[in-house]
Amino acid sequence: MKRRTLGLASAGMTLSAPALAQGGPVEIQFWHGLAQPLGGLLEAITADFNQKQSRFRIVPSYRGGYPETMVAAIAAFRAGTAPHIVQMFEVGTGTMITAGRAIKPVHELLSETGVSIDFEDYLPAVKGYYSLPDGRMMGMPFNSSTAIMFYNKEAFRRAGLNPDAPPATWAELREAAQKIKASGHEMPFSSAWPTWCQIEQFSAIHNLPLASLENGFGGLGTVLQVNNPRMTRQLALLMEMSREGSFRWGGRDSAGDAVFASGQAAIIHASSGARARYLREVPGGAANVGAAMLPYSPDVQGAPYNSIIGGAAFWAMNRGPNARRNADENRGIAEFFAHLASTEVAAKWHTDTGFLPVTKKAFEQVRASGFYAQNPGADIPIQQLLRGGGQMTGNTRGIRLGGFVEIRVIMQEEMERALQGQQTAEAALNNAVTRGNVVLRNFERANRG
Amino acid sequence: MSQSAIFKGVVVPYLLLAPQLLVTAIFFFWPAAQAIWQSLLREDAFGLNSEFVWFENFIEVVTDPTWLDAAFRTLFFSAAVAALALGSALFLAVQADRNIRGATTYKTLLVWPYAVAPAVAAVLWLFMFHPNIGIFGRALNAMGIAWDYKLNGGQAMGLVILASAWKQVSYNFIFFLAGLQSIPKSVLEAAAIDGASPRYRFWTIIFPLLSPTAFFLLVVNLTYAFFETFGVIHSLTQGGPGKATETLIYRAYTDGVMNLNLGTSAAQSVILMLLVVALTFVQFRFIERRVHY
């Protein structure tokens, strides 16, 4: 207790004293969930930071995919060995925000250490996702993405479609997929992250509620509302396309990425962050990969609205239930976050990977450099986020549900059963709501304290 | 009875037993006790709020229709795996028991799959049967059979049964072969001289004499299918599509590790623990004394 107080006091007075007293850099453990090539690019950023200064050393380590990283961090916290920083996918946001003393909220971290980050410069969709209703930042946004549509230009040409005029509406998408199928393609259209791309994004783009209380932003008492008539019709359309062979299920979570990368799927809805991989792997190379916004249905008044973000953010964690960080460690975390917020880092990450430029300055800098002119399609994600004039509604701000990992799996399971023909679209979404609400109530109960 | 007089007092025996007791306590009793304690609690993921709820978790588990589905699915899955693994192992063992050229090589090769870790075995099967990248998967599709285990529950179930059974065949094979070789040749010769056909000899002499081995293997195989097929299912289907390949052990994993519902997951583990106790009891009570190794 005494040491902690001393540490706090000395951090307040001078910056260099604690580091001198300890000798050697302060190690900051950083767990992330990005496989190659993204993981390598991320670790290059930490290496940059380590080289730029000598007081702190960020030690990155890959812990498997996002869900595995989340589970590992939580288990480590319970054992008193949590990492300083953990990368958490957007689905875990609700869990992290309600995690109490397990996390160190970013606004607290900054005010205690005196490091400043200009969050006003962050894209509203990004900032809103990770802040409390009063605007205080809880997590540190980093690799934000949104779902967009990629298409194989060669497949379009073979089907007699114009490779520079991708389908903009669902009707056009279906027609294109049918033509591609007729040209002998076995997988005309597929989707990665099926619930995110086909249910969550569809709901946002058409201003449909995924859950009550502004998709959970308004509190833990939220209930799922995906069984609304418009969403039901959309799932029925997917089922119909699946039956006629114009849509093929690509598997759960990120499994669908592979079918486009291998050239098998002609059209895919996937994370904009998959761009780096596609440009590298799709047969025919970068010239063969087209990008477009997700399609919409004009029958919905006001559509298309903005899409929502996905990807991941960084969270500062306490070491264990009864173990806080010392001032040095907090300082190191804060300075690393400030490094991530710098325009250079954000801009480079965006152009290297296809994730969003999370700050307006980074976006301006990339635009001024002529990158979008040289790389057509690279600005699709950000344009799609600003679609609808940037007028966000309670349905398009994002999703903040506790136990969302489980709810996603439930929605995937019900979709799979529907696409197999075992149940109707209506039954699938009703089941998803019933089962998902149980998860929400359990989460509410466990976290009301 | 006279042997008990070797050690006087209780100190030395307990001292000698201590290492084993310690290992058992630390690695078996302690985690088991923790699981039981956890199954009576409700906690948030981080373990910061916790509420003692008595048997609410158990009630929630056994009244959940999807859990009951998983229980019946597990029975079907285990029966299928055991039947397939025992049947093919017996067939192979009978073939290997004959005097054939290269029998040693043949036997050695048959034992290999047992050394393959379940997850690795699943990846091998994935590379064979993946609808897009697997050799057989692509071939099936090319022949006009709509093979896609990622979206066809029946096909997914078939695949995990096949992969799980394949792993267990080697183990069964060794036991069956040993069992066959311990059957006295004179009995078979006598039957042959009396004019019994090979098939008749198999069903009336070999099979009954093998039955203790078969019964033992049945229990082992059921236990395997219940508890050790996690790796295969996780690598191949993750319990999907829908819940088509979700067994009880996979369910406990999903609820506890992925969904972070430690209470209900612990309750499921305790139920599974009782099942193991029952199976072990059956094995010791009825089989151990009859089986011939």
Side-chain angles (χ1 to χ4, degrees):
Chain A
M1 200 62 217
K2 198 172 264 176
R3 244 186 80 211
R4 196 180 304 148
T5 332
L6 275 175
L8 272 171
S10 60
M13 288 186 298
T14 119
L15 302 181
S16 53
L20 282 176
Q22 300 205 342
V26 178
E27 286 206 349
I28 307 287
Q29 297 296 329
F30 168 42
W31 291 3
H32 71 83
L34 289 178
Q36 299 298 351
L38 294 174
L41 294 167
L42 176 60
E43 292 186 4
I45 294 176
T46 63
D48 264 4
F49 176 77
N50 289 341
Q51 207 166 23
K52 221 179 65 176
Q53 48 75 49
S54 55
R55 273 186 64 195
F56 309 105
R57 205 166 72 82
I58 308 285
V59 186
S61 73
Y62 173 61
R63 294 280 153 162
Y66 288 145
E68 285 85 359
T69 307
M70 174 172 179
V71 168
I74 289 174
F77 175 81
R78 295 177 75 113
T81 57
H84 296 79
I85 305 170
V86 65
Q87 183 185 34
M88 188 74 71
F89 59 164
E90 89 284 8
V91 194
T93 307
T95 302
M96 287 311 261
I97 280 185
T98 45
R101 63 178 192 273
I103 60 157
K104 181 88 181 162
V106 168
H107 68 89
E108 241 176 78
L109 192 71
L110 296 182
S111 68
E112 276 176 26
T113 56
V115 175
S116 73
I117 295 173
D118 179 16
F119 283 114
E120 290 312 308
D121 190 40
Y122 273 71
L123 299 181
V126 174
K127 180 174 181 282
Y129 210 103
Y130 299 107
S131 56
L132 294 178
D134 62 11
R136 285 180 298 166
M137 287 304 282
M138 298 298 284
M140 177 69 198
F142 178 66
N143 56 320
S144 293
S145 61
T146 191
I148 61 170
M149 180 163 77
F150 292 96
Y151 60 98
N152 189 314
K153 292 189 173 178
E154 184 53 37
F156 267 53
R157 270 185 221 106
R158 259 188 316 215
L161 295 162
N162 180 356
D164 297 315
T169 65
W170 273 95
E172 289 171 22
L173 172 64
R174 186 178 183 182
E175 201 188 317
Q178 284 166 339
K179 282 187 181 151
I180 293 168
K181 181 175 165 55
S183 73
H185 221 284
E186 64 175 68
M187 202 181 230
F189 161 49
S190 189
S191 180
W193 301 100
T195 57
W196 185 52
C197 295
Q198 303 307 327
I199 294 182
E200 297 161 38
Q201 296 291 2
F202 185 87
S203 297
I205 289 172
H206 298 88
N207 194 24
L208 304 167
L210 187 90
S212 67
L213 298 177
E214 306 205 325
N215 286 348
F217 275 75
L220 295 176
T222 171
V223 290
L224 288 180
Q225 295 179 332
V226 279
N227 55 349
N228 61 70
R230 188 63 194 84
M231 190 64 239
T232 309
R233 248 188 321 143
Q234 176 62 15
L235 182 57
L237 172 71
L238 274 181
M239 289 161 65
E240 220 174 290
M241 289 179 69
S242 175
R243 270 195 298 274
E244 72 187 16
S246 59
F247 169 72
R248 280 278 298 276
W249 180 255
R252 292 180 183 186
D253 297 342
S254 63
D257 280 343
V259 294
F260 187 77
S262 67
Q264 242 163 354
I267 305 172
I268 188 120
H269 292 172
S271 163
S272 61
R275 180 183 168 86
R277 177 177 178 189
Y278 290 163
L279 295 184
R280 234 169 271 202
E281 292 181 18
V282 171
N288 201 17
V289 178
M293 293 192 213
L294 288 181
Y296 65 99
S297 289
D299 63 295
V300 176
Q301 179 93 46
Y305 286 77
N306 63 285
S307 62
I308 53 177
I309 64 161
F314 296 162
W315 296 81
M317 288 186 81
N318 279 317
R319 193 153 52 84
N322 298 306
R324 309 241 152 181
R325 304 285 178 199
N326 65 36
D328 268 346
E329 291 171 305
N330 280 337
R331 175 101 204 161
I333 301 169
E335 286 196 8
F336 179 58
F337 282 179
H339 178 68
L340 297 176
S342 72
T343 309
E344 295 69 42
V345 172
K348 186 171 187 315
W349 177 253
H350 162 56
T351 54
D352 281 355
T353 62
F355 281 103
L356 290 165
V358 283
T359 66
K360 293 170 198 156
K361 283 205 188 84
F363 178 49
E364 288 308 324
Q365 182 183 321
V366 173
R367 186 154 66 181
S369 74
F371 178 78
Y372 298 128
Q374 290 156 25
N375 297 277
D379 57 343
I380 293 282
I382 193 157
Q383 281 184 22
Q384 188 183 269
L385 269 189
L386 301 172
R387 203 150 57 153
Q391 287 292 353
M392 274 193 244
T393 74
N395 299 328
T396 72
R397 185 172 304 143
I399 300 157
R400 186 171 295 164
L401 304 177
F404 197 21
V405 180
E406 184 173 2
I407 293 172
R408 256 204 188 157
V409 173
I410 288 174
M411 293 201 288
Q412 274 177 164
E413 286 175 355
E414 296 301 338
M415 275 174 98
E416 283 171 344
R417 290 184 49 210
L419 287 166
Q420 285 183 65
Q422 293 175 354
Q423 60 183 359
T424 63
E426 205 175 1
L429 293 173
N430 284 338
N431 283 344
V433 167
T434 314
R435 291 174 59 198
N437 283 342
V438 173
V439 177
L440 289 172
R441 292 294 73 76
N442 282 340
F443 187 81
E444 185 183 16
R445 179 170 160 190
N447 286 281
R448 71 188 161 200
Chain B
M1 276 289 106
S2 62
Q3 285 147 326
S4 61
I6 293 175
F7 293 117
K8 286 204 175 80
V10 288
V11 178
V12 176
Y14 278 112
L15 214 62
L16 292 172
L17 275 175
Q20 178 62 42
L21 288 177
L22 207 66
V23 166
T24 315
I26 292 176
F27 291 103
F28 296 95
F29 292 140
W30 189 44
Q34 277 210 318
I36 293 170
W37 173 241
Q38 190 83 57
S39 71
L40 305 173
L41 297 178
R42 278 225 179 183
E43 274 188 344
D44 70 311
F46 292 89
L48 298 174
N49 298 313
S50 130
E51 186 187 350
F52 189 80
V53 294
W54 286 107
F55 298 102
E56 204 178 312
N57 291 324
F58 288 91
I59 295 166
E60 188 177 311
V61 166
V62 296
T63 53
D64 183 347
T66 61
W67 188 83
L68 292 172
D69 284 350
F72 287 116
R73 191 177 303 118
T74 310
L75 284 182
F76 169 76
F77 171 77
S78 306
V81 168
L84 196 62
L86 287 172
S88 40
L90 181 58
F91 175 77
L92 290 170
V94 169
Q95 305 308 311
D97 194 33
R98 297 184 184 155
N99 294 320
I100 52 169
R101 189 195 298 255
T104 323
T105 323
Y106 175 66
K107 287 172 201 165
T108 312
L109 287 177
L110 270 173
V111 175
W112 277 11
Y114 193 61
V116 179
V120 178
V123 172
L124 296 177
W125 283 80
L126 187 114
F127 277 123
M128 287 192 287
F129 283 98
H130 192 282
N132 307 124
I133 55 171
I135 301 163
F136 295 116
R138 290 185 75 106
L140 284 170
N141 279 312
M143 287 188 307
I145 301 164
W147 170 264
D148 186 0
Y149 70 83
K150 283 183 297 179
L151 198 56
N152 185 317
Q155 292 178 354
M157 189 50 134
L159 188 62
V160 289
I161 288 174
L162 219 58
S164 308
W166 174 77
K167 270 248 346 107
Q168 196 63 9
V169 166
S170 314
Y171 181 87
N172 298 346
F173 171 76
I174 299 171
F175 275 86
F176 275 135
L177 192 61
L180 285 172
Q181 285 172 350
S182 69
I183 294 173
K185 290 277 174 289
S186 53
V187 181
L188 291 171
E189 273 167 23
I193 291 166
D194 287 344
S197 68
R199 172 185 288 223
Y200 194 74
R201 289 201 303 266
F202 178 81
W203 287 116
T204 53
I205 299 173
I206 300 179
F207 195 71
L209 283 174
L210 266 184
S211 66
T213 313
F215 203 38
F216 161 77
L217 284 177
L218 181 68
V219 175
V220 169
N221 278 257
L222 285 177
T223 321
Y224 162 80
F226 254 79
F227 301 104
E228 286 166 49
T229 48
F230 171 82
V232 171
I233 296 174
H234 188 56
S235 311
L236 274 175
T237 62
Q238 279 109 54
K243 283 186 175 296
T245 54
E246 190 188 69
T247 58
L248 288 179
I249 200 89
Y250 200 79
R251 171 72 183 245
Y253 161 79
T254 322
D255 276 350
V257 178
M258 300 317 292
N259 301 338
L260 301 164
N261 301 329
L262 296 179
T264 44
S265 176
Q268 294 174 45
S269 307
V270 171
I271 296 173
L272 285 171
M273 202 148 70
L274 295 177
L275 215 67
V276 180
V277 171
L279 271 175
T280 316
F281 177 77
V282 168
Q283 189 185 333
F284 275 100
R285 184 81 178 72
F286 300 110
I287 303 167
E288 198 76 343
R289 54 176 74 163
R290 291 205 299 151
V291 70
H292 307 295
Y293 292 105

